[in-house]
Amino acid sequence: MYDGGKITAGLVIFLILITFPFWYNRGKASTTPERPYPKDQKACVEATNYMKASHMQLLNNWRDNVVRVANRIYTNKNGKTFKMSLTDTCLDCHTSKADFCDKCHNYLGVLPYCWDCHLTEKGKT
Amino acid sequence: MESSRRKFLKIAGLSVLGVGAKPVLDSLVQAGEPTYATDQEALEGTHWAMVVDMKKCRDDCRDCITACHRGHNVPEINNAKHEIKWIWNEDFKHAFPTQEHEHLAERLERQPFMVLCNHCDNPPCVRVCPTQATFKRKEDGVVMMDFHRCIGCRFCMAACPYGSRSFNWFNPRNYLDDTNPDFPTRAKGVVEKCNFCAERLAIGKIPLCVEACKEKALVFGDLDDPNSEVRKILRERFSIRRKPGLGTGPNIFYVI
Ligand code: SF4
Ligand code: SF4
């Protein structure tokens, strides 16, 4: 076989590279990021579990309602009302985008483009 | 025999359906669907329009432009090719090209006309938008843009005969010193235009430009309401619209 040595060496290097993430992280369990929950608030717009799993759908509904239907007020299952606003309502409690949103989004590798347009500074009244 | 088997299957089917449907129905009842509503304060109108009284408008004043552009985080880009305009000045011959002639009153010839999106009755920009990012609200006639949906194809810019739309060639934030946190900025690759201050109408406020004009040259109101101020002015004074022959049905009226 021509260049048998080179092929074997190449295969070995290839295997090392492709398995690198496995042995490099061996024994280290990756931990989910700790995020600060607001201390002065007991409940979010909806139940925490629902928010964890479905905040994107909720925000999408808010967006369509505000922009396309001119609805501004959201009443949750318990009858509590909120102004549908990312900057005003969400950031009122979750005051640090970097600590709350970014930590988890970075961990999961999702890059929502909300903040390309929406401003993180809390709304003036 | 045949009929009893059929009966059996029917009963079995119904009971399976009953047992299966109960939890589904229960969960629907429990969910107590959230609801969406308009703000109680929202201005009510079914056909918003604006009258611009050019006899009151001062040549050197830019209050309306400043207020709108500040309030909506419109960047100042001093390059005609890249600038973003929601409300701006145009001279008579460009604003009203079909009504210009060589013996025009001197005042009209030199006076800057305040122009903005006409919130047309029959807006070509809406017709050509492939994503329905541009749409006309049935309830009040405002021609809106859903910036989230804009894919930057710029068909609307080609379709609008008034140049009412601007494209963001760059990230607008690079051109904003000061931002108003109550209104988002736009992103590179998105088209924008005047939204008749929909975000203010929704909470009971009149458009920023109208509020900012000290001369009261701008009047906002409901064309469907015969007692509105816009209707009163249009009843009493002679008014013109931009390029009416195109059939777009502009809702900005100029009293000259
Ligand atoms: S003025 Fe232009 S952008 Fe505004 S509604 Fe009419 S066609 Fe559309
Ligand atoms: S109506 Fe509102 S968005 Fe339109 S030009 Fe006036 S201030 Fe700007």
Side-chain angles (χ1 to χ4, degrees):
Chain A
M1 192 161 63
Y2 296 114
D3 292 333
K6 280 186 198 159
I7 291 173
T8 318
L11 274 176
V12 168
I13 291 171
F14 173 74
L15 279 176
I16 290 173
L17 281 181
I18 208 162
T19 55
F20 177 79
F22 296 100
W23 54 261
Y24 183 77
N25 283 322
R26 191 163 43 95
K28 282 181 275 175
S30 87
T31 47
T32 46
E34 276 297 318
R35 282 160 305 139
Y37 285 96
K39 291 195 176 62
D40 50 346
Q41 295 290 334
K42 290 215 170 55
C44 194
V45 169
E46 292 289 353
T48 311
N49 277 340
Y50 172 82
M51 293 307 288
K52 270 185 187 158
S54 310
H55 60 282
M56 46 303 219
Q57 279 99 331
L58 178 108
L59 289 174
N60 214 36
N61 285 339
W62 279 22
R63 173 193 102 169
D64 283 349
N65 263 281
V66 171
V67 182
R68 304 196 74 94
V69 196
N71 277 338
R72 299 250 143 183
I73 310 293
Y74 179 77
T75 310
N76 72 9
K77 291 171 190 165
N78 305 325
K80 210 164 172 255
T81 56
F82 299 90
K83 174 180 171 188
M84 290 185 270
S85 164
L86 190 57
T87 306
D88 276 351
T89 304
C90 304
L91 289 189
D92 238 3
C93 299
H94 303 290
T95 45
S96 169
K97 168 193 164 265
D99 268 352
F100 191 77
C101 315
D102 294 354
K103 263 190 186 171
C104 203
H105 288 156
N106 290 343
Y107 172 71
L108 292 168
V110 283
L111 300 170
Y113 43 79
C114 312
W115 309 105
D116 289 0
C117 296
H118 289 270
L119 292 150
T120 51
E121 232 178 301
K122 230 179 66 184
K124 290 182 227 142
T125 39
Chain B
M1 189 63 199
E2 189 61 32
S3 96
S4 79
R5 179 156 64 208
R6 178 174 291 162
K7 211 182 279 168
F8 169 77
L9 285 174
K10 264 190 202 160
I11 293 169
L14 276 178
S15 44
V16 166
L17 195 67
V19 171
K22 188 164 185 310
V24 176
L25 287 176
D26 279 357
S27 78
L28 279 180
V29 172
Q30 269 169 13
E33 285 303 295
T35 55
Y36 304 90
T38 52
D39 196 302
Q40 303 247 305
E41 307 281 299
L43 289 188
E44 289 195 14
T46 48
H47 192 161
W48 293 123
M50 197 187 287
V51 173
V52 184
D53 188 340
M54 291 309 295
K55 290 222 166 100
K56 289 186 181 166
C57 182
R58 286 201 337 257
D59 293 6
D60 57 341
C61 171
R62 286 178 60 89
D63 288 355
C64 56
I65 303 178
T66 312
C68 170
H69 286 194
R70 252 204 211 126
H72 296 110
N73 295 319
V74 177
E76 289 294 330
I77 304 175
N78 295 321
N79 177 338
K81 276 192 186 153
H82 302 145
E83 69 185 335
I84 311 282
K85 304 176 294 188
W86 283 33
I87 171 169
W88 72 103
N89 284 326
E90 199 82 85
D91 48 18
F92 188 90
K93 68 170 181 288
H94 290 116
F96 305 92
T98 50
Q99 287 157 83
E100 197 247 350
H101 58 83
E102 54 190 306
H103 305 294
L104 199 69
E106 201 190 322
R107 176 177 64 87
L108 295 180
E109 209 154 12
R110 60 168 173 73
Q111 193 172 18
F113 275 70
M114 196 282 292
V115 295
L116 64 158
C117 167
N118 287 287
H119 296 276
C120 306
D121 285 338
N122 181 20
C125 56
V126 170
R127 215 157 50 230
V128 298
C129 178
T131 64
Q132 289 173 25
T134 297
F135 61 102
K136 188 172 178 67
R137 298 207 302 213
K138 277 191 235 62
E139 306 72 35
D140 61 2
V142 174
V143 175
M144 282 283 291
M145 265 206 77
D146 184 344
F147 299 123
H148 304 98
R149 280 206 197 186
C150 177
I151 53 169
C153 70
R154 288 171 284 151
F155 285 8
C156 58
M157 297 180 73
C160 172
Y162 307 98
S164 298
R165 295 171 161 265
S166 312
F167 182 71
N168 283 286
W169 291 96
F170 309 103
N171 182 354
R173 287 204 186 159
N174 298 343
Y175 297 86
L176 290 165
D177 302 330
D178 203 12
T179 44
N180 169 18
D182 292 335
F183 200 84
T185 64
R186 267 67 57 197
K188 181 178 166 181
V190 166
V191 175
E192 57 182 278
K193 72 168 192 79
C194 152
N195 64 352
F196 241 6
C197 286
E199 82 285 358
R200 287 170 60 88
L201 304 180
I203 54 168
K205 292 184 179 164
I206 58 168
L208 271 170
C209 54
V210 179
E211 190 180 83
C213 180
K214 289 186 208 73
E215 314 295 329
K216 303 255 177 288
L218 304 181
V219 181
F220 179 79
D222 186 2
L223 276 188
D224 283 345
D225 171 8
N227 299 318
S228 65
E229 207 180 333
V230 281
R231 281 285 292 276
K232 190 170 157 273
I233 300 173
L234 294 177
R235 239 189 333 260
E236 290 166 1
R237 314 250 320 257
F238 175 68
S239 55
I240 57 173
R241 294 188 293 173
R242 296 183 65 197
K243 306 185 184 176
L246 297 177
T248 60
N251 282 307
I252 312 294
F253 298 81
Y254 295 85
V255 171
I256 54 170

